[in-house]
């Protein structure tokens, strides 16, 4: 009796959102980031480059449908470019695009469709752990203006149940989480563990001397609801040197 190879049934990480229906559901169900994350990012940009009426260009890498991260940049920039490797996600982004200064394109993070030294901010929301970090950071260094900023962030989620069987429900969710993150789960990839480590692993650190790490938290507004959650967002910020120096960045 021969064994059956199910490897072809697995969905590669790069293809998970190619399904149009799944991408549409993603728009409805994906949790939004707290506004404080974007406020922290823009405060760091302002600290580096001052506060003009608007900055020229931002790139949102791994933008998905745009509603979770890209749109928050629109008030601050003359142009915002959202890029994603998923055609169906970019299709959703274009369907939902209500901003004249936002454009969406299919593109790899390691090869951005912009000119050298043209970008003020490269933003990466819940995407950094999927990238080739060395190639991506080199690409950021190519496209960023002197003093330009890299902002990479993601989050962990804690759920609380207000229910007579809360303990039993929580136990089921814990069992699900354990199985999903187990090495025995063929859908679980090592890169996803970088988020569980809250981007503390050395491999994802921004290679500029001027870099910082922040934590932001928010939760359900109505604590009387039967299900509440708390998001813990973790944020890496790095600033390209205004004057290139060999000891400021390994790529200079």
């Amino acid at each position: 009796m021969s064994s059956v190879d199910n490897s072809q049934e697995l969905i590669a990480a790069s293809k998970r959102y190619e399904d149009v229906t799944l991408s549409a559901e993603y728009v409805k169900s994906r949790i939004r980031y707290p506004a404080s994350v974007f406020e922290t990012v823009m405060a760091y940009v302002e600290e580096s480059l001052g506060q003009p009426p608007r900055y020229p260009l931002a790139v949102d890498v791994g933008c998905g449908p745009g509603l979770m991260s890209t749109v928050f940049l629109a008030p601050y920039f003359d142009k915002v470019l959202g890029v994603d490797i998923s055609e169906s996600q970019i299709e959703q982004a274009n369907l939902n695009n209500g901003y004249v200064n936002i454009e969406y394109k299919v593109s790899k993070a390691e090869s951005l469709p912009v000119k050298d030294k043209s970008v003020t901010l490269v933003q990466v929301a819940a995407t950094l752990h999927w990238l080739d970090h060395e190639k991506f950071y080199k690409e950021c260094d190519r496209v960023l203006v002197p003093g330009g900023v890299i902002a990479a962030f993601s989050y962990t989620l804690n759920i609380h149940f207000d229910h007579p069987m809360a303990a039993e429900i929580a136990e089921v969710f814990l069992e699900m989480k354990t199985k999903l993150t187990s090495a025995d789960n063929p859908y679980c990839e090592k890169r996803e563990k970088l988020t569980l480590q809250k981007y503390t692993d050395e491999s994802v650190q921004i290679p500029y001397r001027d870099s910082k790490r922040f934590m932001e938290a928010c939760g359900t507004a109505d604590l009387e609801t039967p299900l509440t959650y708390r998001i813990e967002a973790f944020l890496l910020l790095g600033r390209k040197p205004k004057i290139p120096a060999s000891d400021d960045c390994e790529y200079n």
Side-chain angles (χ1 to χ4, degrees), residues 49 58 64 94 97 104 140 157 169 183 187 196 201 235:
L49 296 170
N94 283 319
N97 190 6
Y104 295 102
C140 288
L157 177 66
I169 297 173
Y187 288 97
L196 299 178
D201 191 88
L235 170 64

Side-chain angles (χ1 to χ4, degrees), residues 182-197:
S182 168
D184 296 328
N185 176 15
Y187 288 97
C188 181
E189 300 194 24
K190 291 181 180 179
R191 290 177 176 271
E192 291 180 308
K193 294 182 179 179
L194 294 173
T195 61
L196 299 178
Q197 297 168 345

Side-chain angles (χ1 to χ4, degrees), residues 104-121:
Y104 295 102
K105 290 184 178 181
V106 176
S107 173
K108 291 183 177 180
E110 298 86 356
S111 181
L112 298 172
V114 293
K115 296 179 180 179
D116 295 359
K117 297 181 176 65
S118 63
V119 178
T120 302
L121 169 67

Side-chain angles (χ1 to χ4, degrees), residues 50-125:
Q51 189 179 25
R54 284 193 177 191
Y55 302 100
L57 174 62
V59 177
D60 188 27
V61 173
C63 65
L67 298 177
M68 294 77 185
S69 55
T70 318
V71 296
F72 289 91
L73 302 178
Y76 303 99
F77 293 88
D78 290 329
K79 181 179 178 180
V80 180
L81 174 63
V83 299
D84 201 290
I85 60 171
S86 169
E87 292 184 5
S88 63
Q89 289 279 29
I90 293 299
E91 180 181 347
Q92 288 294 319
N94 283 319
L95 287 172
N96 294 309
N97 190 6
Y99 296 86
V100 296
N101 63 329
I102 295 182
E103 180 182 7
Y104 295 102
K105 290 184 178 181
V106 176
S107 173
K108 291 183 177 180
E110 298 86 356
S111 181
L112 298 172
V114 293
K115 296 179 180 179
D116 295 359
K117 297 181 176 65
S118 63
V119 178
T120 302
L121 169 67
V122 176
Q123 178 174 272
V124 200

Side-chain angles (χ1 to χ4, degrees), residues 194 196-205 213 234 236:
L194 294 173
L196 299 178
Q197 297 168 345
K198 302 178 183 180
Y199 284 1
T200 57
D201 191 88
E202 185 64 28
S203 66
V204 299
Q205 302 310 303
R213 187 173 186 275
F234 36 95
L236 301 179

Side-chain angles (χ1 to χ4, degrees), residues 7-191:
S7 61
Q8 295 302 315
E9 297 178 9
L10 302 182
I11 303 174
S14 61
K15 300 294 183 183
R16 287 181 180 174
Y17 299 106
E18 284 304 307
D19 181 85
V20 175
T21 302
L22 180 59
S23 286
E25 289 299 320
Y26 182 95
V27 173
K28 298 177 184 178
S29 60
R30 181 76 186 213
I31 290 175
R32 271 49 171 176
Y33 295 96
S36 57
V37 169
F38 302 100
E39 292 167 0
T40 300
V41 170
M42 292 313 304
Y44 193 71
V45 173
E46 181 181 342
E47 178 186 309
S48 180
L49 296 170
Q51 189 179 25
R54 284 193 177 191
Y55 302 100
L57 174 62
V59 177
D60 188 27
V61 173
C63 65
L67 298 177
M68 294 77 185
S69 55
T70 318
V71 296
F72 289 91
L73 302 178
Y76 303 99
F77 293 88
D78 290 329
K79 181 179 178 180
V80 180
L81 174 63
V83 299
D84 201 290
I85 60 171
S86 169
E87 292 184 5
S88 63
Q89 289 279 29
I90 293 299
E91 180 181 347
Q92 288 294 319
N94 283 319
L95 287 172
N96 294 309
N97 190 6
Y99 296 86
V100 296
N101 63 329
I102 295 182
E103 180 182 7
Y104 295 102
K105 290 184 178 181
V106 176
S107 173
K108 291 183 177 180
E110 298 86 356
S111 181
L112 298 172
V114 293
K115 296 179 180 179
D116 295 359
K117 297 181 176 65
S118 63
V119 178
T120 302
L121 169 67
V122 176
Q123 178 174 272
V124 200
T127 301
L128 181 64
H129 47 287
W130 296 116
L131 307 182
D132 182 318
H133 305 124
E134 182 177 0
K135 290 182 178 179
F136 172 64
Y137 284 137
K138 284 184 177 179
E139 181 68 351
C140 288
D141 196 61
R142 178 186 73 82
V143 305
L144 284 172
V145 300
V149 168
I150 302 171
F153 50 91
S154 192
Y155 65 90
T156 56
L157 177 66
N158 294 311
I159 300 175
H160 174 74
F161 305 95
D162 184 9
H163 188 276
M165 298 184 65
E168 290 84 352
I169 297 173
E171 185 176 346
V172 172
F173 266 73
L174 178 60
E175 182 180 355
M176 289 171 56
K177 181 178 179 180
T178 301
K179 289 182 177 180
L180 286 171
T181 57
S182 168
D184 296 328
N185 176 15
Y187 288 97
C188 181
E189 300 194 24
K190 291 181 180 179
R191 290 177 176 271

